[in-house]
Amino acid sequence: MDDHNKRVIETALLCAQEPLTIAELSRLFVEDISNADIDEALVEMQRAWDDKGMELAHIATGWRFQSRLSMREYLDRLTPEKPPKYSRAVMETLAIIAYRQPVTRGEIEEIRGVAVSSNVMKQLEDRGWVEVIGHKETIGRPGLYATTKQFLDDLSLTNLQSLPMLEDAAPMAAAEQLGQAVMEFDANATVETVVIQHDQVIEETEETEEVSEAIEEVTPESENKSDEAK
């Protein structure tokens, strides 16, 4: 692809309000340009921006330009509003859903050892990070929670297989690594922790990409308390 067409793609991505797919980028041109050519141009563009404060990222819903994480502390000074902070309960619940999806609320409570506050689930749903994708065929047909494309986009991930790999037996590893991307959580909160271990098996289903891991419960002194009680 010639430099002019690359410049067209670059301009479109810089001006776009939302990520653009290769199919959408192909509509920029009257002439027939293959998806392979556009994909190759995007990869070359990524390399060209390697030493800049912006990066071209391939995420779940397409391609977009975004500021690098190393620039965050500077850009935050332009915005007086602080990003919302999430408690460990929220982050642990999100981590369990991300690494065990699809999962019911009851299964989340079994892993964490405490009741899951309705407020915790509401925060995750309102943020657009989790949703009910179906119901488990058991008594009461409880809802099955999974993460959304918005969740992947906010963490600049292409798919669930791109989630951070976790160290063996590292308490809160998932919550902390997810938090390093776009979220902040209250490190002073004293609530339960979960241990998510490496030995995971990735399976794909028609409904969603499932990531299965062996999860070991860590029982705290306050295991009989619910999130709402705290």
Side-chain angles (χ1 to χ4, degrees), residues 85-100:
K85 289 189 176 182
Y86 297 93
S87 69
R88 287 177 182 262
V90 171
M91 296 302 296
E92 288 175 10
T93 301
L94 177 60
I96 291 169
I97 295 173
Y99 285 91
R100 280 291 299 269

Side-chain angles (χ1 to χ4, degrees), residues 61-192:
T61 54
W63 293 78
R64 72 180 179 193
F65 274 103
Q66 61 188 33
S67 60
R68 294 186 184 277
L69 187 59
S70 60
M71 297 291 106
R72 178 175 174 179
E73 63 173 297
Y74 305 102
L75 296 177
D76 283 349
R77 295 168 187 166
L78 296 175
T79 308
E81 295 182 2
K82 297 295 182 182
K85 289 189 176 182
Y86 297 93
S87 69
R88 287 177 182 262
V90 171
M91 296 302 296
E92 288 175 10
T93 301
L94 177 60
I96 291 169
I97 295 173
Y99 285 91
R100 280 291 299 269
Q101 60 187 295
V103 62
T104 67
R105 184 166 171 171
E107 290 167 342
I108 297 170
E109 292 175 342
E110 183 178 353
I111 292 167
R112 295 195 63 235
V114 294
V116 175
S117 166
S118 297
N119 184 54
V120 167
M121 302 306 298
K122 185 176 186 302
Q123 285 187 64
L124 294 174
E125 289 181 296
D126 288 349
R127 187 63 177 80
W129 283 332
V130 304
E131 63 182 352
V132 175
I133 62 167
H135 296 271
K136 190 170 184 177
E137 295 301 327
T138 186
I139 299 175
R141 300 188 75 247
L144 289 166
Y145 287 93
T147 53
T148 64
K149 284 190 175 180
Q150 182 65 51
F151 166 78
L152 293 174
D153 282 356
D154 285 350
L155 268 69
S156 297
L157 301 174
T158 307
N159 49 45
L160 291 174
Q161 285 85 343
S162 303
L163 281 167
M165 294 298 292
L166 307 177
E167 296 181 3
D168 291 343
M172 277 295 291
E176 291 176 358
Q177 291 191 47
L178 292 178
Q180 288 172 2
V182 295
M183 296 163 272
E184 293 188 10
F185 65 95
D186 185 356
N188 295 321
T190 54
V191 297
E192 303 72 28

